Amino acid sequence: MKTEKTTAMDQSETAQTHFIHKIPIVFSVDDQYALYLSVTIQSIVENSSAENMYELLVLEEELSESNQQLLSSVITGKENFSIRFLNVASIIETFGKHNLYTCSYFSRTIYYRLFLSDILVNHNRVIYLDSDLIIQKDPAEMFRMNLANCYLAAGHEWVCLSPHFRLYLKATLKWKGTYNDYFAAGHMVMNLEKIRKDNLTEKFMKTLRQFQRLRAPDQDVLNLVCRGQIVFLPPEWNLCWHWKEFLSPRILNKYSVYGSPGTPPALIHYASDQKPWNSPEKEWAELWWFYANQLPFKEKIQRKAMEDRCRFLQNNYDMVVNSIPWKMTAPLRKLYDFLKFDLPELSKLLTGQRNHR
């Protein structure tokens, strides 16, 4: 089933003939993240070029009318911006909700990107962005990436260099390439024309059914299916703030993870469970708040951020983590992590090797 049906408002129906380029930017969102998506959109508005037309396409299933109005208000008065809300419930139903594994820390919205070639049948190339990032340069720069007949352009997911992740790639995903070939799926330029031509949606779903309980189902599937036919984004378009927590300074420097010194980041992705709204003390959080505080409903964002921060601190026992007993028990917790996460992966790896022989 293919659809590009608009279910809500469509702003800025101005004649677009005087704009040089049309830049389609796609988001997936639910009511939980709508306020935070407004900050992403505000950052794009602030750093866009008046020469281009920016078409914002918001994929949703049950996004409230009030949140649609709120997101639309961010581009009010901007002649070179339009926004459309595309309800994808029917296409999700077509592929079967039971095939889309969800849990407490990710919802069905993560899967929307797998169906973009079927949803956006009139688009051949789009930018896809998660709702927990900011853009600090004109996104047209990202859109013009030379895809060289590849499926997509994406940034390295450098967490794959950590021991836990390398083991996961080898044992669970049966990864054949080098570890640093694995990419992040939260900010991409997607060649929908080639994805559609090669019928990748069917391959995405087949791969999803083949693997159970993946750590990052959407990202893992995209990597497994598109591997070898991707282009990597420059470092300034791929800055994720959680890498420092997983990788040593030596690894960060060896791979120039954060790009050349002095190069300002064009895209900052606040991946992981720590976000600028629940961890405002972290590096680069102030940049997110810079855009949040420009919005007329900033008090609403601040209230929700406070609620989410309290919930985050409660769930993560922040005070306990920084206590002396917590540090003293670090070896036991490392052993627990090994038994819970690494040992099963090692067992799968060794079993697979024996079967192979």
Side-chain angles (χ1 to χ4, degrees):
M1 180 178 182
K2 299 186 177 183
T3 178
E4 192 160 343
K5 181 182 177 183
T6 302
T7 60
M9 61 218 71
D10 193 351
Q11 294 191 354
S12 299
E13 294 291 343
T14 318
Q16 300 172 15
T17 53
H18 62 287
F19 295 116
I20 297 177
H21 297 291
K22 186 176 183 180
I23 315 296
I25 306 175
V26 184
F27 308 96
S28 300
V29 76
D30 54 22
D31 284 323
Q32 173 63 24
Y33 263 73
L35 264 176
Y36 301 136
L37 175 57
S38 72
V39 180
T40 302
I41 294 174
Q42 176 64 22
S43 73
I44 294 171
V45 169
E46 284 292 310
N47 295 289
S48 61
S49 168
E51 296 178 338
N52 300 319
M53 179 68 198
Y54 300 87
E55 180 188 23
L56 309 182
L57 301 161
V58 182
L59 309 184
E60 50 84 23
E61 286 186 74
E62 298 177 339
L63 190 64
S64 69
E65 185 71 21
S66 60
N67 276 326
Q68 291 187 31
Q69 294 284 354
L70 180 143
L71 291 171
S72 299
S73 71
V74 180
I75 65 164
T76 297
K78 305 293 181 183
E79 187 187 66
N80 63 329
F81 274 83
S82 68
I83 189 165
R84 286 194 290 157
F85 297 89
L86 307 178
N87 189 293
V88 298
S90 60
I91 201 163
I92 295 298
E93 196 66 45
T94 298
F95 286 102
K97 292 181 181 180
H98 61 279
N99 292 317
L100 307 179
Y101 165 63
T102 62
C103 66
S104 59
Y105 53 90
F106 55 74
S107 66
R108 262 202 317 270
T109 59
I110 67 169
Y111 295 103
Y112 297 169
R113 70 202 78 188
L114 301 181
F115 309 125
L116 282 182
S117 64
D118 294 84
I119 297 169
L120 303 175
V121 294
N122 298 322
H123 289 75
N124 289 331
R125 176 189 286 223
V126 299
I127 295 174
Y128 179 88
L129 299 176
D130 277 352
S131 304
D132 57 348
L133 57 79
I134 57 171
I135 298 283
Q136 298 208 118
K137 281 188 178 180
D138 185 0
E141 213 176 288
M142 182 182 180
F143 186 72
R144 289 193 292 266
M145 279 282 300
N146 182 5
L147 297 184
N149 201 35
C150 290
Y151 291 126
L152 52 88
H156 290 281
E157 174 48 277
W158 292 112
V159 172
C160 67
L161 297 177
S162 66
H164 287 311
F165 208 102
R166 290 204 306 269
L167 187 56
Y168 170 72
L169 287 178
K170 190 76 173 175
T172 297
L173 298 188
K174 312 299 180 187
W175 192 252
K176 302 298 183 184
T178 59
Y179 295 121
N180 57 347
D181 283 342
Y182 187 92
F183 62 85
H187 45 282
M188 305 178 286
V189 184
M190 301 184 73
N191 185 350
L192 298 187
E193 183 178 24
K194 182 171 175 58
I195 290 172
R196 195 178 296 121
K197 178 183 175 184
D198 293 352
N199 194 26
L200 288 203
T201 305
E202 199 61 44
K203 294 177 183 177
F204 292 151
M205 292 307 297
K206 181 180 178 181
T207 305
L208 201 58
R209 289 190 292 268
Q210 180 183 349
F211 292 89
Q212 299 296 319
R213 306 284 171 165
L214 296 172
R215 293 185 186 180
D218 56 311
Q219 185 166 280
D220 288 341
V221 165
L222 280 163
N223 271 275
L224 288 167
V225 174
C226 299
R227 184 166 51 86
Q229 296 195 66
I230 64 166
V231 175
F232 282 102
L233 294 168
E236 62 265 28
W237 284 98
N238 183 45
L239 190 150
C240 295
W241 78 340
H242 65 304
W243 289 332
K244 291 182 179 180
E245 297 174 13
F246 289 89
L247 303 173
S248 68
R250 183 184 66 82
I251 295 293
L252 293 172
N253 291 331
K254 178 181 177 181
Y255 291 95
S256 300
V257 167
Y258 291 110
S260 304
T263 304
L267 183 151
I268 303 175
H269 194 171
Y270 301 98
S272 82
D273 59 342
Q274 295 186 22
K275 307 293 184 186
W277 50 88
N278 64 35
S279 303
E281 72 286 351
K282 286 180 62 70
E283 186 180 10
W284 296 313
E286 76 280 359
L287 293 172
W288 187 90
W289 279 104
F290 169 78
Y291 295 107
N293 288 329
Q294 293 180 26
L295 291 164
F297 45 85
K298 62 182 180 183
E299 290 83 4
K300 193 171 183 178
I301 296 175
Q302 290 164 0
R303 283 196 301 272
K304 179 169 173 52
M306 181 62 73
E307 293 170 2
D308 286 350
R309 177 166 171 76
C310 291
R311 194 176 301 113
F312 174 80
L313 293 178
Q314 182 178 6
N315 290 342
N316 288 275
Y317 301 101
D318 196 63
M319 293 181 67
V320 177
V321 169
N322 292 304
S323 68
I324 293 175
W326 181 267
K327 293 175 182 177
M328 290 174 65
T329 57
L332 287 174
R333 287 183 286 104
K334 287 181 180 178
L335 176 61
Y336 172 79
D337 286 344
F338 173 79
L339 294 174
K340 183 177 180 181
F341 299 110
D342 293 350
L343 191 58
E345 300 291 354
L346 280 170
S347 299
K348 284 188 281 187
L349 188 58
L350 294 172
T351 303
Q353 288 176 345
R354 283 199 297 269
N355 292 340
H356 183 69
R357 292 194 190 100

